[in-house]
Amino acid sequence: MPLEASPSHVLKNLNYISEDGIIANLSSQGSGFGGHPSLEQRNKSFDISESMTVHCGFVRGKKPGQGTGFDIKDDDLLEMEQCRELVVASAIFGNYDMIQHPRNISEFSKANACFYMFVDEETEAYVKNSSSLYNNNKVGLWRLVVVRNLPYEDPRRTGKIPKLLLHRLFPNVRFSVWIDAKLELVADPYLLLERFLWRKNATFAISRHYKRFDVFEEAEANKAAGKYDNASIDYQIEFYRNEGLSHYSPAKFPITSDVPEGCVIIREHIPITNLFTCLWFNEVDRFTSRDQISFSTVRDKIRARVGWMPEMFLDCERRNFVVQAYHRELLEQMIASGRRPPSTTDAPPSRKLRPGSRKAPPSKKPSVKRKKEKSSSRRRVPKPVAAGMGAM
């Protein structure tokens, strides 16, 4: 591990807007949790300077997790503040996924890294009743943190809070690895830091989408799959188009894709990466919860001003260290119908070669039709909020 933090491009001091006592501008887009930043404030946040103060969620309360929405018990917050080197984090809201247990984790990582799983009360109740590994708010390596007073009705949007704002929840951590709850981590997290950050002298790494490179194509795919209501996606894309968003082409090189897979984020917590995820979160708060659509807009605006951008690695590299599982509802449907879901811990069956053949015969995989997710852009009614600021 590097002894010192990596240099942060231009930005050296990042603070966050907190509002306490002044009624929020409800005419602006976004939520009370995000502070309802105006369009002018949104645009100004991309004017990067040495010292900045920006919206980054948690605008109410004394500190993130205390009276801000996305509220966490004081004992848990204290434990989270003690985490100083590396945090591996995930989240389940709405009891949507099954907890996946990391494998091949070294004793060094077990002793030095923190493993946190954020859940709501519904998910906590299910885990308590269904997992034999549950013991004193821990399930295997994961420490469960129960979140109350959720700021959004949409669990997917709520999940973007720990995904993009880990630097606010863990103020003393140097590095973080975010893993979507549907994924099982099968490699030591320190190896991920070495491979995707330290070896490449990078501070933020995320995988490219396995199939799509173009935001416009990603938007159409989201609409076709019913990931969000079409009108909201169209509005967001048209907004970005008016700002200059164009189709991806090789002319954008060294940018290799405009669409991330997004289920894994590996990063160092320094001012420029913290700013990037703050502004990315603000787009998710203002527009749709589909973060793949807003990623390239935030990246390109920051890159145009300071020359920094996230490292994007191949999706096949991502598949080397995570295994994708099924969402809980789909898994239970498969079990109820008598189909045995493939176990992520089972070794793949060996396939014999045909005589005289150099290639193994293709294996047929059962096709599973995924249930469309309901879209919801509804937010909880914001309470009166107000103005001051808190430091990074």
Side-chain angles (χ1 to χ4, degrees):
M1 177 176 285
L3 296 178
E4 297 181 354
S6 301
S8 178
H9 290 60
V10 179
L11 178 62
K12 308 301 179 187
N13 183 34
L14 182 62
N15 293 284
Y16 308 111
I17 291 175
S18 63
E19 300 176 347
D20 189 18
I22 299 177
I23 297 176
N25 181 8
L26 301 182
S27 63
S28 296
Q29 289 178 284
S31 67
F33 177 80
H36 295 285
S38 67
L39 187 58
E40 180 182 3
Q41 288 173 315
R42 180 244 186 200
N43 294 338
K44 187 177 179 182
S45 66
F46 291 103
D47 294 332
I48 299 175
S49 58
E50 186 171 325
S51 182
M52 297 179 65
T53 301
V54 300
H55 285 86
C56 193
F58 302 105
V59 296
R60 295 172 288 181
K62 296 180 180 180
K63 65 179 182 178
Q66 281 190 343
T68 56
F70 203 84
D71 293 337
I72 298 170
K73 286 183 178 179
D74 289 345
D75 289 347
D76 288 327
L77 288 174
L78 184 60
E79 285 289 333
M80 290 159 63
E81 289 176 1
Q82 303 309 309
C83 186
R84 297 184 177 276
E85 196 166 278
L86 166 65
V87 62
V88 180
S90 189
I92 303 174
F93 297 108
N95 199 23
Y96 192 62
D97 289 292
M98 307 284 284
I99 290 182
Q100 305 298 320
H101 298 283
R103 289 188 286 133
N104 304 320
I105 307 301
S106 67
E107 293 303 318
F108 179 86
S109 289
K110 291 177 183 178
N112 293 278
C114 310
F115 292 79
Y116 276 87
M117 175 73 69
F118 295 92
V119 299
D120 56 7
E121 293 173 280
E122 177 186 359
T123 306
E124 179 200 28
Y126 178 85
V127 172
K128 280 184 175 181
N129 293 328
S130 63
S131 177
S132 60
L133 296 178
Y134 180 86
N135 181 30
N136 195 26
N137 285 340
K138 290 198 72 175
V139 180
L141 286 177
W142 296 112
R143 179 186 174 97
L144 295 191
V145 173
V146 182
V147 182
R148 295 172 173 83
N149 190 21
L150 302 181
Y152 306 111
E153 292 183 1
D154 181 359
R156 292 167 298 175
R157 198 188 296 269
T158 300
K160 300 303 186 294
I161 297 172
K163 177 177 181 177
L164 299 178
L165 304 183
L166 282 176
H167 61 285
R168 301 222 59 194
L169 292 165
F170 296 89
N172 300 315
V173 158
R174 291 187 62 192
F175 299 92
S176 66
V177 175
W178 168 264
I179 305 285
D180 274 7
K182 64 184 177 183
L183 301 179
E184 178 191 18
L185 180 64
V186 294
D188 191 89
Y190 280 95
L191 295 181
L192 305 187
L193 298 182
E194 192 277 332
R195 177 176 178 180
F196 296 106
L197 297 187
W198 304 337
R199 189 185 299 180
K200 298 180 178 181
N201 197 28
T203 54
F204 191 107
I206 191 169
S207 66
R208 291 165 16 186
H209 196 277
Y210 71 97
K211 182 178 181 181
R212 292 184 288 276
F213 303 87
D214 185 276
V215 176
F216 296 91
E217 292 179 6
E218 175 66 17
E220 291 303 314
N222 275 258
K223 289 161 60 177
K227 297 287 188 179
Y228 214 86
D229 69 275
N230 292 1
S232 296
I233 292 176
D234 288 340
Y235 174 81
Q236 184 174 7
I237 288 295
E238 188 60 27
F239 185 95
Y240 289 160
R241 190 200 306 269
N242 292 334
E243 285 195 323
L245 177 67
S246 60
H247 288 278
Y248 180 78
S249 73
K252 289 191 174 184
F253 190 80
I255 292 173
T256 56
S257 175
D258 282 345
V259 182
E261 183 62 33
C263 53
V264 175
I265 296 176
I266 306 164
R267 70 181 180 111
E268 181 177 1
H269 291 198
I270 57 174
I272 192 65
T273 62
N274 295 343
L275 176 68
F276 174 72
T277 54
C278 283
L279 302 189
W280 191 6
F281 173 80
N282 291 346
E283 297 297 289
V284 169
D285 183 60
R286 173 179 288 270
F287 297 108
T288 72
S289 62
R290 308 307 298 171
D291 52 18
Q292 296 97 327
I293 294 176
S294 50
F295 170 83
S296 66
T297 289
V298 178
R299 177 201 62 192
D300 293 350
K301 285 178 178 290
I302 292 179
R303 179 173 180 261
R305 288 161 173 80
V306 300
W308 177 89
M309 67 176 183
E311 182 81 18
M312 297 189 78
F313 53 90
L314 296 172
D315 187 64
C316 59
E317 295 180 273
R318 177 185 67 85
R319 294 169 188 264
N320 280 340
F321 62 85
V322 290
V323 175
Q324 184 157 332
Y326 293 100
H327 292 302
R328 183 187 61 79
E329 186 177 277
L330 183 58
L331 185 63
E332 290 176 346
Q333 288 175 0
M334 294 175 68
I335 294 173
S337 64
R339 288 179 292 169
R340 180 181 180 273
S343 170
T344 56
T345 58
D346 291 344
S350 59
R351 290 182 286 160
K352 297 181 179 180
L353 297 179
R354 294 193 187 101
S357 171
R358 291 179 180 268
K359 295 182 179 180
S363 61
K364 292 184 178 180
K365 296 181 180 178
S367 59
V368 179
K369 188 174 181 180
R370 294 184 61 182
K371 183 178 179 181
K372 288 187 178 180
E373 302 169 10
K374 281 191 175 182
S375 304
S376 171
S377 58
R378 294 178 297 168
R379 300 176 172 83
R380 300 190 186 278
V381 178
K383 298 177 182 177
V385 293
M389 63 179 70
M392 182 175 70

